[in-house]
Amino acid sequence: MKQIFLLISTLFAFNLIANSRNIVKHAPKGFDTLRIGISQGKIDTVFYSSKTVGTNRKTIIYTPPGYSKDKKYPVLYLLHGIGGDETEWLKGGQPQVIFDNLYAEKKIEPMIVVMPNGRAMKDDRAVGDIFDSVKVQAFATFESDLLNDLIPFIEKTYPVYTNRENRAIAGLSMGGGQSLNFGLGNLAKFAWVGGFSSAPNTKEPELLVPDPTTARKKLKLLWISCGDTDDLITISQRTHDYLNTNNVPHIYYIEPGAHDFKVWKNDLYMFTQLIFVNGGRP
Ligand code: FER
């Protein structure tokens, strides 16, 4: 009995060491804790008219501390998962707390964060069978809503830069798949792309990056991350393998964790510090 206990604890200790060797960095304690006395960004819910869907659609916008119409900002489009809607990041991840803390420590560039509803259909609520093929298809249709309706709306309503170096797209799970599909499929629009725990809606690598030379030239950052116990890790792994084989620079960040907001909050903390730096400005 004693020996079994010893064996188990040795294995456990080894596993911790083995895992920690893979961890480049992790968000420090308190990164997601509300701090009193620091400046805070602002959250608004706004409507935009979507020709793609034929409705007025909701999106949530975070503007940073010190936001002013007299300045100009880059934009991060931040997408949700299959069970969520435009409120998922706010409810599950409180990204505004992470951003406010990062601003207080001057660790990120001032940016506007747009959290849309990525299920581009008339009834875009996460109700009923969320895996229904019509609903899953609506996550693909969102590409047209994003490019033709939402981005133009943001660019005429907010003081933002409109070149590719000032546009980023990232998301969790279905939103990670969308970000990789839409970002890598529209390199003329996006220079910074992140997939967190990307779902099976992610295109096969050969379709996702058919032209590695162009991707290599155009991407400022390609980020692929996943929790090490997430069943969906095979999607990130196959993408990473293809990018490696084809010499497309990217960050492949595997962290301890499952398919949940603990992982996605950490990813958001990491990813946002890397975007809109080194030539993000016009
Ligand atoms: C699937 C498994 C997971 C799938 C989507 C998901 C469309 C999405 C998960 C999430 O967004 O959290 O087979 O197929």
Side-chain angles (χ1 to χ4, degrees), residues 170-190:
L172 70 90
S173 203
M174 280 298 272
Q178 287 177 311
S179 299
L180 297 179
N181 294 346
F182 308 161
L184 297 171
N186 297 280
L187 289 168
K189 296 270 182 201
F190 300 98

Side-chain angles (χ1 to χ4, degrees), residues 105-281:
E105 295 185 14
K106 299 193 166 26
K107 284 185 170 159
I108 53 174
E109 293 291 318
M111 67 183 86
I112 292 179
V113 182
V114 177
M115 288 168 271
N117 183 317
R119 192 181 293 97
M121 59 193 286
K122 287 201 164 66
D123 182 355
D124 59 11
R125 294 171 303 153
V127 293
D129 177 8
I130 53 171
F131 286 91
D132 180 277
S133 63
V134 173
K135 291 182 188 169
V136 169
Q137 174 55 41
F139 278 83
T141 307
F142 182 65
E143 180 168 9
S144 164
D145 180 276
L146 173 68
L147 297 178
N148 304 322
D149 303 307
L150 179 57
I151 291 177
F153 166 78
I154 294 295
E155 295 184 349
K156 69 171 194 283
T157 313
Y158 292 87
V160 297
Y161 294 110
T162 58
N163 57 339
R164 59 185 296 284
E165 289 84 2
N166 286 297
R167 214 179 280 117
I169 185 163
L172 70 90
S173 203
M174 280 298 272
Q178 287 177 311
S179 299
L180 297 179
N181 294 346
F182 308 161
L184 297 171
N186 297 280
L187 289 168
K189 296 270 182 201
F190 300 98
W192 318 84
V193 178
F196 309 162
S197 317
S198 300
N201 64 328
T202 308
K203 288 182 182 166
E204 300 263 335
E206 293 75 10
L207 297 174
L208 193 60
V209 187
D211 178 2
T213 309
T214 305
R216 203 177 300 134
K217 261 192 249 153
K218 294 217 145 188
L219 282 168
K220 293 245 175 224
L221 173 69
L222 174 53
W223 164 284
I224 292 170
S225 58
C226 198
D228 62 356
T229 62
D230 188 333
D231 288 341
L232 297 185
I233 197 168
T234 51
I235 306 291
S236 296
Q237 180 73 50
R238 79 172 185 204
T239 311
H240 162 67
D241 290 344
Y242 174 88
L243 295 169
N244 256 1
T245 306
N246 291 282
N247 298 316
V248 180
H250 63 287
I251 291 180
Y252 186 51
Y253 180 76
I254 299 302
E255 59 213 285
H259 198 70
D260 60 34
F261 264 104
K262 191 165 164 292
V263 164
W264 302 324
K265 284 164 72 167
N266 184 53
D267 295 337
L268 189 66
Y269 176 88
M270 296 292 175
F271 180 79
T272 49
Q273 291 179 72
L274 300 176
I275 57 176
F276 309 131
V277 296
N278 299 331
R281 297 270 175 272

Side-chain angles (χ1 to χ4, degrees), residues 39-44 61-69 71-75 96 99-100 102-104 108-114 158-160 281:
S39 302
Q40 291 179 331
K42 190 165 168 290
I43 295 161
D44 292 305
I61 315 270
Y62 168 91
T63 48
Y67 172 74
S68 158
K69 288 258 178 202
K71 296 180 190 166
K72 265 182 148 187
Y73 299 88
V75 185
Q96 76 282 13
F99 296 145
D100 291 346
L102 281 165
Y103 284 116
I108 53 174
E109 293 291 318
M111 67 183 86
I112 292 179
V113 182
V114 177
Y158 292 87
V160 297
R281 297 270 175 272

